[in-house]
């Protein structure tokens, strides 16, 4: 068991003390506890780590235009203080990024529960959200910012791996991929393509974002000239060499220009912040200062300009699709915004989740992740080795761990994403907890996942689009997921609302559980990592996916579902 000696009142580490000028948070590392338990210390380090990786840390904005880790700096300081004082039989309650109460509960209860950006359905509109946010009553938490689970840009690889498998014989070598947006999530695109051997041209309006991705090892080149960038890409495609170029430009200018020139990529998608035409998507023809001025003076006019650009951007994606490119929406709601802007056929572009990810969900597989709270990269290497040994026959895991160990540079606390399924997550979690207990790792490990996961989200224009039984908009599942994970003793459980205009389009749930090496942690891990992915399998079995029914049966989930369901193998089962 790791050191839990320092239980006295402690003060924040130097990095968390308010200082003059912009605040920079860095997660604590090493064996010293500032909290009374490793469970609370782990959650504090996760909060700090989320901000260490933030795109706009001064504003507490982590990624996805406005996804925040805390309501404001006063709330952040109170969260830190509350976590440091929290006893193991207490639960801290967080309402949209603001701590509101601590209750005595039970040592087996979550230490933190939170609800973020939830608005009663009939009121869940962009206008109401912006008004409530302006009044300081809510914030948007994205998926993993509001519940302190963000680990940087690692998570996008499996979509491109599935595309390579399905369309190009297992590799993107000699293939040209065009996209836009190199922010917190979008920044992973170039590396995800080059890991598959392909060539990526990613258009990004802000050169500082391109430089950040180059510094972090996610992108190779910056270009400010379309002709130069295309020449680089064409040469690499011809040589079948992997290459990534971040092109400074506006997607609403560059993609239509590519279409006009008759350039047809093999694959095209988008990760600009099209979900938010006020604070995210930058309209063509406006400099950053002009955008800021228009936002302050006339946000509706800015939104109209952004929608106009999104329409042009979408028209180019549709032209690529008509010319034979593999085109998909990457979860930024660009199709919805384009349709608002008059592009009536925007929804002929499929959503990536239904097209490539759903088969994984049927087996409870999703972007599971773990974080070395010690800060020691060797802990991740040890867990990599454990995972490779444990899942030697699982090609999804072994191929990814090999690539990730070679290519992924850690941002913030060392962390690893791996697409593990139902049963696998609990198995690895328990083994890691035992290794922590034996002192084989430098410190405890936190386990968590994206809200993009089987049982954790209802989002009819993304994860749950075109469910075979029509249950796209049923949001019982993420709510049940959160309730069940509390019952199964997870350490942090969160319920998030969100979507376009930050409300009304989705409901999701988050979970974190901490391996501190104790037997009690072993129980929490085994139970919560089983319920979490297990409910995901049940959700897809209930919708009629035979693969999910089989997984439920094979893994011994006690369901009340029929044994045989219609087979949807034609929808891309793996
Ligand atoms: P972010 O705010 O960190 O970055 C967005 C980037 O887009 C910024 O760098 C911005 O400069 C750039 N941009 C905006 N308008 C542009 C334009 N017209 N042309 C070129 N570049 C432009 O956001 P993020 O975290 O990278 O998320 C991007 C989108 O992806 C969001 O809509 C988000 O909701 C969605 N998302 C998808 C997934 C997924 O798993 N597929 C996960 C999280 C978020």
């Amino acid at each position: 068991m790791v050191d839990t000696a320092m239980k006295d009142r402690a003060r924040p580490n130097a990095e968390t003390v308010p200082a003059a000028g912009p605040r920079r948070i860095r997660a604590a590392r090493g064996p010293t506890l500032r909290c009374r338990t490793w469970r609370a210390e782990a959650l504090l380090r996760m909060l700090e780590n989320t901000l260490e990786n933030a795109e706009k840390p001064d504003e507490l904005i982590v990624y996805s235009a406005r996804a925040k880790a805390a309501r404001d700096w006063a709330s952040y300081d109170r969260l830190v203080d509350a976590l440091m004082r929290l006893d193991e039989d207490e639960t801290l309650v967080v309402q949209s990024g603001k701590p509101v109460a601590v209750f005595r509960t039970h040592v087996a209860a979550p230490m933190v529960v939170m609800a973020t950006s939830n608005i009663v359905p009939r009121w869940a509109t962009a206008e109401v959200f912006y008004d409530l946010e302006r009044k300081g009553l809510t914030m948007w938490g994205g998926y993993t910012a509001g519940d302190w689970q963000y680990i940087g840009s690692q998570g996008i690889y499996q979509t491109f791996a599935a595309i390579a498998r399905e369309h190009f014989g297992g590799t993107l070598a000699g293939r040209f991929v065009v996209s836009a947006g190199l922010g917190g999530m979008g920044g992973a695109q170039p590396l995800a393509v080059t890991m598959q051997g392909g060539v990526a041209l990613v258009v990004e309006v802000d050169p500082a974002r391109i430089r950040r991705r180059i510094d972090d090892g996610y992108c190779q080149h910056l270009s400010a000239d379309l002709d130069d960038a295309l020449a680089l890409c064409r040469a690499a495609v011809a040589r079948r060499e992997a290459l990534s170029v971040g092109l400074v430009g506006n997607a609403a200018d560059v993609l239509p220009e590519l279409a006009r020139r008759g350039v047809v990529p093999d694959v095209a998608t988008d990760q600009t912040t099209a979900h938010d035409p006020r604070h995210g998507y930058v309209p063509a023809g406006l400099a950053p200062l002009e955008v800021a001025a228009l936002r302050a003076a006339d946000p509706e006019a800015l939104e109209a300009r952004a929608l106009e650009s999104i329409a042009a951007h979408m028209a180019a994606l549709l032209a690529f699709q008509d010319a034979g490119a593999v085109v998909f929406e990457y979860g930024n709601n660009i199709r919805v915004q384009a349709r608002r802007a008059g592009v009536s056929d925007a929804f002929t572009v499929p959503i990536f989740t239904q097209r490539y990810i759903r088969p994984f969900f049927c087996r409870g597989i999703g972007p599971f992740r773990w974080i070395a709270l010690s800060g020691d990269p060797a802990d991740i290497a040890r867990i990599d080795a454990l995972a490779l040994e444990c899942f030697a026959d699982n090609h999804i895991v072994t191929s990814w761990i090999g690539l990730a160990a070679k290519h992924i540079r850690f941002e913030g606390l060392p962390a690893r994403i791996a697409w593990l399924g139902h049963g696998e997550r609990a198995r690895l979690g328990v083994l890691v907890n035992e290794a922590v207990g034996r002192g084989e790792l430098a410190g405890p490990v936190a386990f968590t996942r994206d809200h993009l996961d089987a049982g954790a989200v209802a989002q009819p224009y993304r994860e749950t689009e075109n469910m075979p039984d029509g249950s796209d908009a049923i949001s019982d599942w993420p709510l049940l997921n959160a309730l069940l994970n509390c019952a199964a003793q997870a350490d942090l459980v969160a319920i998030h609302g969100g979507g376009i205009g930050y409300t009304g389009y989705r409901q999701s749930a988050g979970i974190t559980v901490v391996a501190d090496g104790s037997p009690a942690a072993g129980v929490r891990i085994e139970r919560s990592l089983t319920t979490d992915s297990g409910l995901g399998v049940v959700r897809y079995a209930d919708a009629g996916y035979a693969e999910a029914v089989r997984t439920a049966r094979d893994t011994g989930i006690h369901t009340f579902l029929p044994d045989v369901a219609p087979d949807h193998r034609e929808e891309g089962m793996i």
Side-chain angles (χ1 to χ4, degrees), residues 2 7 12 60 64 193 205 226 416 487 496 511 521 523 529 551 560:
V2 291
K7 291 191 177 174
L60 294 150
S64 208
V193 173
V205 81
L226 176 59
R416 178 72 76 233
H496 286 196
I511 171 177
V523 172
L529 295 185
T551 303
F560 302 99

Side-chain angles (χ1 to χ4, degrees), residues 54-56 61-67 140 142-144 150 153 155-156 159 179-189 202-210 213 247-255 270-276 279-284 306 309-310 313 328-334 352-353 367 419 450 452 459 462-463 499 502 506:
E55 294 291 308
K56 296 179 185 167
I61 289 176
V62 179
Y63 74 114
S64 208
R66 287 180 83 67
W140 191 56
Y143 273 179
T144 54
Y150 186 74
S153 302
I156 232 149
T159 303
S179 187
L182 285 171
M185 282 291 117
Q189 296 178 100
V202 187
V203 184
E204 166 57 60
V205 81
D206 178 357
R209 300 289 186 115
I210 304 179
R213 302 310 154 210
L247 173 65
V248 184
N250 193 303
D253 290 325
V254 175
L255 270 74
D270 180 53
Q271 283 255 288
T272 61
T273 23
H275 74 273
D276 182 348
H279 304 92
Y281 194 91
V282 179
S309 289
I310 287 171
H313 184 167
F328 61 95
E329 195 215 276
Y330 218 160
N332 65 351
N333 274 323
I334 191 168
F352 78 111
T353 33
W419 286 58
D450 201 349
L452 179 151
Q459 183 158 208
R462 205 166 127 165
E463 287 85 347
Y502 305 115
R506 76 160 152 84

Side-chain angles (χ1 to χ4, degrees), residues 26-296:
R26 183 173 184 273
R29 271 94 164 148
T32 306
L33 286 177
R34 297 157 297 166
C35 303
R36 297 177 180 187
T37 64
W38 256 115
R39 294 172 70 195
E41 177 73 27
L43 298 178
L44 175 54
R45 290 187 189 194
M46 293 288 285
L47 167 61
E48 292 168 337
N49 190 51
T50 295
L51 284 168
E52 184 175 336
N53 282 307
E55 294 291 308
K56 296 179 185 167
D58 298 345
E59 300 170 58
L60 294 150
I61 289 176
V62 179
Y63 74 114
S64 208
R66 287 180 83 67
K68 293 174 77 177
R71 182 94 59 94
D72 47 35
W73 282 108
S75 298
Y76 173 80
D77 291 330
R78 272 186 227 115
L79 285 167
V80 172
D81 196 54
L83 286 166
M84 289 197 302
R85 294 168 193 278
L86 203 60
D87 274 323
E88 196 162 20
D89 62 351
E90 292 177 326
T91 297
L92 167 64
V93 185
V94 183
Q95 180 259 325
S96 290
K98 183 177 88 169
V100 290
V102 171
F103 286 96
R104 189 154 315 279
T105 50
H106 192 276
V107 288
M111 293 197 79
V112 177
V113 292
M114 50 171 71
T116 311
S117 189
N118 298 286
I119 297 176
V120 173
R122 197 174 279 270
W123 278 259
T125 65
E127 291 65 35
V128 171
F129 174 82
Y130 288 132
D131 185 45
L132 293 172
E133 192 196 33
R134 209 169 22 248
K135 290 175 179 157
L137 297 173
T138 190
M139 70 162 203
W140 191 56
Y143 273 179
T144 54
D147 52 0
W148 322 335
Q149 296 161 344
Y150 186 74
I151 59 161
S153 302
Q154 228 183 97
I156 232 149
Y157 163 86
Q158 286 304 343
T159 303
F160 284 102
I163 288 167
R165 266 198 311 274
E166 191 166 319
H167 302 285
F168 304 110
T171 175
L172 291 181
R175 303 293 171 181
F176 181 39
V177 180
V178 169
S179 187
L182 285 171
M185 282 291 117
Q189 296 178 100
L191 183 59
V193 173
T194 54
M195 276 177 165
Q196 293 296 317
V199 174
L201 177 69
V202 187
V203 184
E204 166 57 60
V205 81
D206 178 357
R209 300 289 186 115
I210 304 179
R211 282 192 282 274
R212 178 168 177 175
R213 302 310 154 210
I214 291 175
D215 290 346
D216 289 344
Y218 280 92
C219 185
Q220 292 168 313
H221 301 282
L222 179 149
S223 172
D225 182 87
L226 176 59
D227 292 319
D228 289 350
L230 275 179
L232 271 175
C233 291
R234 283 192 174 120
V237 167
R239 292 195 300 268
R240 292 175 66 81
E241 278 175 13
L243 179 92
S244 58
V245 180
L247 173 65
V248 184
N250 193 303
D253 290 325
V254 175
L255 270 74
E257 173 61 15
L258 289 175
R260 198 187 60 74
R261 293 185 189 191
V263 175
V264 181
D266 294 291
V267 182
T269 188
D270 180 53
Q271 283 255 288
T272 61
T273 23
H275 74 273
D276 182 348
R278 289 195 188 185
H279 304 92
Y281 194 91
V282 179
L286 286 184
L289 282 178
E290 293 173 313
V291 173
L294 190 55
R295 184 182 300 126

Side-chain angles (χ1 to χ4, degrees), residues 311-476:
H313 184 167
M314 192 73 209
L317 289 170
L318 288 165
F320 296 150
Q321 182 168 263
D322 288 345
V326 173
V327 180
F328 61 95
E329 195 215 276
Y330 218 160
N332 65 351
N333 274 323
I334 191 168
R335 297 172 306 165
V336 174
Q337 304 289 25
R339 193 170 58 186
R340 282 180 67 203
V343 185
S344 56
D345 51 351
F347 272 79
T348 61
V349 169
I351 184 75
F352 78 111
T353 33
Q354 183 195 0
R355 189 71 185 77
Y356 301 109
I357 302 297
R358 189 162 300 164
F360 290 110
F361 284 175
C362 289
R363 292 159 54 187
I365 300 171
F368 185 58
R369 57 190 66 165
W370 50 89
I371 296 93
L373 300 164
S374 64
D376 187 346
D379 283 358
I380 296 298
R382 286 189 199 100
I383 303 173
D384 280 352
L386 198 58
L388 286 174
E389 192 186 317
C390 233
F391 308 115
D393 298 332
N394 181 335
H395 177 68
I396 297 169
V397 176
T398 53
S399 61
W400 162 247
I401 298 256
L403 282 169
K406 192 164 154 208
H407 294 286
I408 299 280
R409 268 187 235 161
F410 297 130
E411 305 168 80
L413 290 174
R416 178 72 76 233
I417 284 183
W419 286 58
L420 296 188
H422 180 57
E424 295 171 338
R425 301 180 186 192
R427 187 172 158 210
L428 184 71
V430 167
L431 287 175
V432 168
N433 189 54
E434 287 168 3
V436 174
R438 289 192 299 270
E440 292 168 12
L441 299 176
V445 172
F447 289 97
T448 180
R449 55 151 173 77
D450 201 349
H451 293 208
L452 179 151
D453 205 37
V457 59
Q459 183 158 208
Y461 288 142
R462 205 166 127 165
E463 287 85 347
T464 53
E465 183 168 314
N466 291 330
M467 295 297 281
D469 63 346
S471 61
D472 308 20
I474 297 286
S475 62
D476 294 339

